[in-house]
Amino acid sequence: MNKKNKILITGGAGYIGSHTVVELQQKGHEVIIIDDLSNSNSSVIDAIEKITGIKPAFYNFNLCDKKELSTFFSKEKNIDAVIHFAAHKAVGESVNEPLKYYHNNLSSLINLLEEMKENNVKKIVFSSSCAVYGEPDRLPVNENAPLKKATSPYGNTKQINEDILSDTAKASNIRAISLRYFNPIGAHHSQLIGELPNGIPNNLAPFITQTAIGKREQLMVNGNDYNTPDGTCIRDYIHVVDIAKAHIIAIQRLLENKNKSSFEIFNLGTGRGNSVLEVIKSFEKVSGKKLNYKIVGRRVGDIEKIYADSTLASVELNWKADKTMDDMMLSAWEWEVKLAEK
Ligand code: UD1
């Protein structure tokens, strides 16, 4: 184990954040969470403690509150690095409520970077998305692909956030890594943390498991008239723990000054594209349940197909996703079953 570092995780009670907190604690790092619980629950903090035996320090506020954030940094000294997850993330909602997305996702990063500069915190890993590519010309898509116009305000906030980071890194001693996730699904093998959306899920995997368990009546498959083999959209689904592990490597890279430029970008995907119907098929296979679904119209803001070329992450970070679609759907299902027992 390397030196024990003090890492701030914004959005640490959220889906990817909580899995990353667990991995960091298990590597011996001290973790502090800021989360406003807008799309999570304080029970996640207890669940993290159950897994690792360590209760992370937890501050409940929104990063747009600059005063709270300044007070936080004046209390919590000697933070070595930040992983910034906290953001709104529903593509469809962002189309209907763009200002909510621009305000929250941009102000929170700007406030965070200002406080980092003020308090001499120089390393940040940013939670980006394949949404920055828009509808790519060539697949699999790599980090050098030109960024097309994002198909949603959500995707646009990720593009702008990357520009903010890149410009800030150029003009200061802040060093940043942006991780562009494809579609994280699945849950921790302990079945103590997983995806826990408030209200009706926007994303496919929790909608499938909630339908199968009886919380939702029917899954709506958004469109079967896309130019794909079965007509449904194609995505690169990746296990959330594989994603979490990449953050540990990225943060270590920054802490050891092994980054090759002031702002680096890595795709995190499996390189495999699966259609919505293939995901459903995998779910039915591993759960033994028949899913109630129907085909409806396309969803606004959706792109047709995207999957990753993650060669750069494999060469530079020595990272590779190793879970299969069936592993992912099984873990998502076991988590849903466990939730229902509570
Ligand atoms: C998008 C982003 C992703 C981001 C995520 C955060 C893109 C390409 N990807 O994922 O980077 O991390 O938002 O939320 O913009 N679907 C249904 N019925 C449903 C729900 C989803 O058919 O009830 C379909 C969608 O049309 C899509 C696929 O399932 O084809 C995956 O959707 P979802 O899980 O919401 O993720 P993305 O929108 O791809």
mmCIF file of all heavy atoms in Angstrom, residues 109-110 113-114 116-117 124 161-176 262-263:
data_model
loop_
_atom_site.group_PDB
_atom_site.id
_atom_site.type_symbol
_atom_site.label_atom_id
_atom_site.label_comp_id
_atom_site.label_asym_id
_atom_site.label_seq_id
_atom_site.Cartn_x
_atom_site.Cartn_y
_atom_site.Cartn_z
ATOM 1 N N LEU A 109 -18.876 22.499 -10.064
ATOM 2 C CA LEU A 109 -17.460 22.305 -10.424
ATOM 3 C C LEU A 109 -16.675 23.608 -10.266
ATOM 4 O O LEU A 109 -15.545 23.600 -9.761
ATOM 5 C CB LEU A 109 -17.325 21.777 -11.860
ATOM 6 C CG LEU A 109 -15.861 21.609 -12.309
ATOM 7 C CD1 LEU A 109 -15.153 20.517 -11.503
ATOM 8 C CD2 LEU A 109 -15.752 21.313 -13.794
ATOM 9 N N ILE A 110 -17.279 24.715 -10.674
ATOM 10 C CA ILE A 110 -16.566 26.005 -10.558
ATOM 11 C C ILE A 110 -16.261 26.310 -9.083
ATOM 12 O O ILE A 110 -15.129 26.636 -8.725
ATOM 13 C CB ILE A 110 -17.397 27.142 -11.202
ATOM 14 C CG1 ILE A 110 -17.478 26.919 -12.719
ATOM 15 C CG2 ILE A 110 -16.803 28.513 -10.890
ATOM 16 C CD1 ILE A 110 -18.510 27.772 -13.447
ATOM 17 N N LEU A 113 -13.436 24.016 -7.862
ATOM 18 C CA LEU A 113 -12.100 24.378 -8.347
ATOM 19 C C LEU A 113 -11.595 25.649 -7.669
ATOM 20 O O LEU A 113 -10.416 25.767 -7.333
ATOM 21 C CB LEU A 113 -12.113 24.546 -9.874
ATOM 22 C CG LEU A 113 -12.256 23.236 -10.664
ATOM 23 C CD1 LEU A 113 -12.512 23.522 -12.144
ATOM 24 C CD2 LEU A 113 -11.012 22.354 -10.516
ATOM 25 N N GLU A 114 -12.502 26.611 -7.448
ATOM 26 C CA GLU A 114 -12.082 27.849 -6.760
ATOM 27 C C GLU A 114 -11.586 27.534 -5.353
ATOM 28 O O GLU A 114 -10.551 28.032 -4.928
ATOM 29 C CB GLU A 114 -13.264 28.837 -6.693
ATOM 30 C CG GLU A 114 -13.494 29.536 -8.028
ATOM 31 C CD GLU A 114 -14.738 30.430 -8.049
ATOM 32 O OE1 GLU A 114 -15.537 30.402 -7.076
ATOM 33 O OE2 GLU A 114 -14.920 31.125 -9.058
ATOM 34 N N MET A 116 -10.491 24.630 -4.313
ATOM 35 C CA MET A 116 -9.251 23.839 -4.401
ATOM 36 C C MET A 116 -8.057 24.775 -4.568
ATOM 37 O O MET A 116 -7.032 24.616 -3.911
ATOM 38 C CB MET A 116 -9.338 22.854 -5.583
ATOM 39 C CG MET A 116 -10.234 21.650 -5.307
ATOM 40 S SD MET A 116 -10.456 20.624 -6.784
ATOM 41 C CE MET A 116 -8.779 20.059 -7.079
ATOM 42 N N LYS A 117 -8.183 25.762 -5.453
ATOM 43 C CA LYS A 117 -7.084 26.717 -5.670
ATOM 44 C C LYS A 117 -6.765 27.451 -4.374
ATOM 45 O O LYS A 117 -5.615 27.579 -3.978
ATOM 46 C CB LYS A 117 -7.467 27.725 -6.761
ATOM 47 C CG LYS A 117 -7.294 27.173 -8.158
ATOM 48 C CD LYS A 117 -7.553 28.225 -9.210
ATOM 49 C CE LYS A 117 -6.387 29.227 -9.285
ATOM 50 N NZ LYS A 117 -6.659 30.266 -10.304
ATOM 51 N N ILE A 124 -7.513 16.436 -9.173
ATOM 52 C CA ILE A 124 -8.946 16.131 -9.286
ATOM 53 C C ILE A 124 -9.211 15.102 -10.379
ATOM 54 O O ILE A 124 -8.665 15.179 -11.478
ATOM 55 C CB ILE A 124 -9.785 17.421 -9.509
ATOM 56 C CG1 ILE A 124 -11.279 17.077 -9.626
ATOM 57 C CG2 ILE A 124 -9.319 18.210 -10.730
ATOM 58 C CD1 ILE A 124 -12.214 18.281 -9.521
ATOM 59 N N ASN A 161 -17.847 21.083 -18.626
ATOM 60 C CA ASN A 161 -17.025 20.799 -17.447
ATOM 61 C C ASN A 161 -15.617 20.366 -17.848
ATOM 62 O O ASN A 161 -14.635 20.732 -17.198
ATOM 63 C CB ASN A 161 -17.676 19.710 -16.590
ATOM 64 C CG ASN A 161 -18.742 20.267 -15.651
ATOM 65 O OD1 ASN A 161 -18.724 21.450 -15.311
ATOM 66 N ND2 ASN A 161 -19.652 19.424 -15.230
ATOM 67 N N GLU A 162 -15.520 19.581 -18.906
ATOM 68 C CA GLU A 162 -14.181 19.180 -19.359
ATOM 69 C C GLU A 162 -13.388 20.402 -19.836
ATOM 70 O O GLU A 162 -12.184 20.501 -19.584
ATOM 71 C CB GLU A 162 -14.276 18.121 -20.464
ATOM 72 C CG GLU A 162 -14.686 16.754 -19.926
ATOM 73 C CD GLU A 162 -14.433 15.627 -20.932
ATOM 74 O OE1 GLU A 162 -14.116 15.920 -22.112
ATOM 75 O OE2 GLU A 162 -14.534 14.445 -20.538
ATOM 76 N N ASP A 163 -14.060 21.340 -20.515
ATOM 77 C CA ASP A 163 -13.367 22.567 -20.937
ATOM 78 C C ASP A 163 -12.905 23.375 -19.729
ATOM 79 O O ASP A 163 -11.802 23.915 -19.705
ATOM 80 C CB ASP A 163 -14.301 23.451 -21.794
ATOM 81 C CG ASP A 163 -14.488 22.890 -23.197
ATOM 82 O OD1 ASP A 163 -13.668 22.050 -23.615
ATOM 83 O OD2 ASP A 163 -15.454 23.292 -23.875
ATOM 84 N N ILE A 164 -13.784 23.459 -18.728
ATOM 85 C CA ILE A 164 -13.426 24.213 -17.515
ATOM 86 C C ILE A 164 -12.177 23.594 -16.875
ATOM 87 O O ILE A 164 -11.234 24.285 -16.488
ATOM 88 C CB ILE A 164 -14.612 24.209 -16.511
ATOM 89 C CG1 ILE A 164 -15.779 25.029 -17.077
ATOM 90 C CG2 ILE A 164 -14.181 24.735 -15.147
ATOM 91 C CD1 ILE A 164 -17.072 24.939 -16.261
ATOM 92 N N LEU A 165 -12.153 22.274 -16.811
ATOM 93 C CA LEU A 165 -11.012 21.582 -16.195
ATOM 94 C C LEU A 165 -9.746 21.782 -17.022
ATOM 95 O O LEU A 165 -8.665 22.062 -16.474
ATOM 96 C CB LEU A 165 -11.313 20.089 -16.075
ATOM 97 C CG LEU A 165 -12.246 19.717 -14.929
ATOM 98 C CD1 LEU A 165 -12.787 18.308 -15.122
ATOM 99 C CD2 LEU A 165 -11.526 19.830 -13.581
ATOM 100 N N SER A 166 -9.884 21.634 -18.319
ATOM 101 C CA SER A 166 -8.721 21.754 -19.191
ATOM 102 C C SER A 166 -8.129 23.169 -19.100
ATOM 103 O O SER A 166 -6.910 23.344 -18.955
ATOM 104 C CB SER A 166 -9.171 21.400 -20.609
ATOM 105 O OG SER A 166 -8.274 21.869 -21.540
ATOM 106 N N ASP A 167 -8.983 24.182 -19.162
ATOM 107 C CA ASP A 167 -8.501 25.571 -19.083
ATOM 108 C C ASP A 167 -7.891 25.867 -17.711
ATOM 109 O O ASP A 167 -6.879 26.561 -17.608
ATOM 110 C CB ASP A 167 -9.656 26.557 -19.354
ATOM 111 C CG ASP A 167 -10.118 26.507 -20.813
ATOM 112 O OD1 ASP A 167 -9.347 26.028 -21.666
ATOM 113 O OD2 ASP A 167 -11.254 26.954 -21.098
ATOM 114 N N THR A 168 -8.526 25.339 -16.658
ATOM 115 C CA THR A 168 -8.015 25.589 -15.307
ATOM 116 C C THR A 168 -6.662 24.907 -15.114
ATOM 117 O O THR A 168 -5.744 25.476 -14.513
ATOM 118 C CB THR A 168 -9.029 25.076 -14.251
ATOM 119 O OG1 THR A 168 -10.288 25.674 -14.521
ATOM 120 C CG2 THR A 168 -8.589 25.412 -12.836
ATOM 121 N N ALA A 169 -6.540 23.706 -15.650
ATOM 122 C CA ALA A 169 -5.271 22.973 -15.518
ATOM 123 C C ALA A 169 -4.149 23.716 -16.263
ATOM 124 O O ALA A 169 -3.007 23.746 -15.814
ATOM 125 C CB ALA A 169 -5.433 21.555 -16.049
ATOM 126 N N LYS A 170 -4.505 24.315 -17.409
ATOM 127 C CA LYS A 170 -3.501 25.082 -18.178
ATOM 128 C C LYS A 170 -3.026 26.303 -17.394
ATOM 129 O O LYS A 170 -1.872 26.685 -17.461
ATOM 130 C CB LYS A 170 -4.143 25.569 -19.496
ATOM 131 C CG LYS A 170 -3.691 24.779 -20.719
ATOM 132 C CD LYS A 170 -4.336 25.353 -21.972
ATOM 133 C CE LYS A 170 -5.121 24.264 -22.683
ATOM 134 N NZ LYS A 170 -6.231 24.770 -23.484
ATOM 135 N N ALA A 171 -3.967 26.920 -16.679
ATOM 136 C CA ALA A 171 -3.670 28.218 -16.070
ATOM 137 C C ALA A 171 -3.266 28.131 -14.602
ATOM 138 O O ALA A 171 -3.061 29.152 -13.952
ATOM 139 C CB ALA A 171 -4.910 29.110 -16.198
ATOM 140 N N SER A 172 -3.155 26.922 -14.065
ATOM 141 C CA SER A 172 -2.845 26.799 -12.629
ATOM 142 C C SER A 172 -2.050 25.518 -12.407
ATOM 143 O O SER A 172 -1.711 24.828 -13.361
ATOM 144 C CB SER A 172 -4.145 26.738 -11.821
ATOM 145 O OG SER A 172 -4.800 25.506 -12.086
ATOM 146 N N ASN A 173 -1.787 25.214 -11.139
ATOM 147 C CA ASN A 173 -1.075 23.944 -10.892
ATOM 148 C C ASN A 173 -2.038 22.792 -10.579
ATOM 149 O O ASN A 173 -1.636 21.752 -10.077
ATOM 150 C CB ASN A 173 -0.006 24.103 -9.810
ATOM 151 C CG ASN A 173 -0.594 24.690 -8.535
ATOM 152 O OD1 ASN A 173 -1.827 24.740 -8.401
ATOM 153 N ND2 ASN A 173 0.255 25.132 -7.626
ATOM 154 N N ILE A 174 -3.305 22.988 -10.892
ATOM 155 C CA ILE A 174 -4.279 21.891 -10.733
ATOM 156 C C ILE A 174 -4.081 20.874 -11.849
ATOM 157 O O ILE A 174 -3.882 21.253 -13.008
ATOM 158 C CB ILE A 174 -5.722 22.446 -10.715
ATOM 159 C CG1 ILE A 174 -5.955 23.145 -9.364
ATOM 160 C CG2 ILE A 174 -6.753 21.333 -10.954
ATOM 161 C CD1 ILE A 174 -7.316 23.720 -9.140
ATOM 162 N N ARG A 175 -4.094 19.600 -11.478
ATOM 163 C CA ARG A 175 -3.941 18.518 -12.459
ATOM 164 C C ARG A 175 -5.210 17.671 -12.444
ATOM 165 O O ARG A 175 -5.705 17.309 -11.370
ATOM 166 C CB ARG A 175 -2.722 17.645 -12.112
ATOM 167 C CG ARG A 175 -1.400 18.409 -12.192
ATOM 168 C CD ARG A 175 -1.110 18.821 -13.636
ATOM 169 N NE ARG A 175 -0.020 19.759 -13.793
ATOM 170 C CZ ARG A 175 -0.153 21.081 -13.989
ATOM 171 N NH1 ARG A 175 -1.353 21.647 -14.013
ATOM 172 N NH2 ARG A 175 0.892 21.862 -14.163
ATOM 173 N N ALA A 176 -5.724 17.364 -13.629
ATOM 174 C CA ALA A 176 -7.040 16.719 -13.693
ATOM 175 C C ALA A 176 -7.040 15.511 -14.607
ATOM 176 O O ALA A 176 -6.317 15.479 -15.618
ATOM 177 C CB ALA A 176 -8.072 17.734 -14.175
ATOM 178 N N SER A 262 -1.353 18.027 -18.096
ATOM 179 C CA SER A 262 -2.082 18.640 -16.977
ATOM 180 C C SER A 262 -3.544 18.190 -16.945
ATOM 181 O O SER A 262 -4.196 18.217 -15.924
ATOM 182 C CB SER A 262 -1.999 20.157 -17.066
ATOM 183 O OG SER A 262 -2.551 20.590 -18.297
ATOM 184 N N PHE A 263 -4.046 17.760 -18.117
ATOM 185 C CA PHE A 263 -5.439 17.291 -18.187
ATOM 186 C C PHE A 263 -5.488 16.056 -19.084
ATOM 187 O O PHE A 263 -5.220 16.146 -20.282
ATOM 188 C CB PHE A 263 -6.336 18.395 -18.755
ATOM 189 C CG PHE A 263 -7.770 17.989 -18.917
ATOM 190 C CD1 PHE A 263 -8.513 17.535 -17.836
ATOM 191 C CD2 PHE A 263 -8.400 18.066 -20.157
ATOM 192 C CE1 PHE A 263 -9.846 17.151 -17.983
ATOM 193 C CE2 PHE A 263 -9.730 17.685 -20.316
ATOM 194 C CZ PHE A 263 -10.456 17.228 -19.216
#
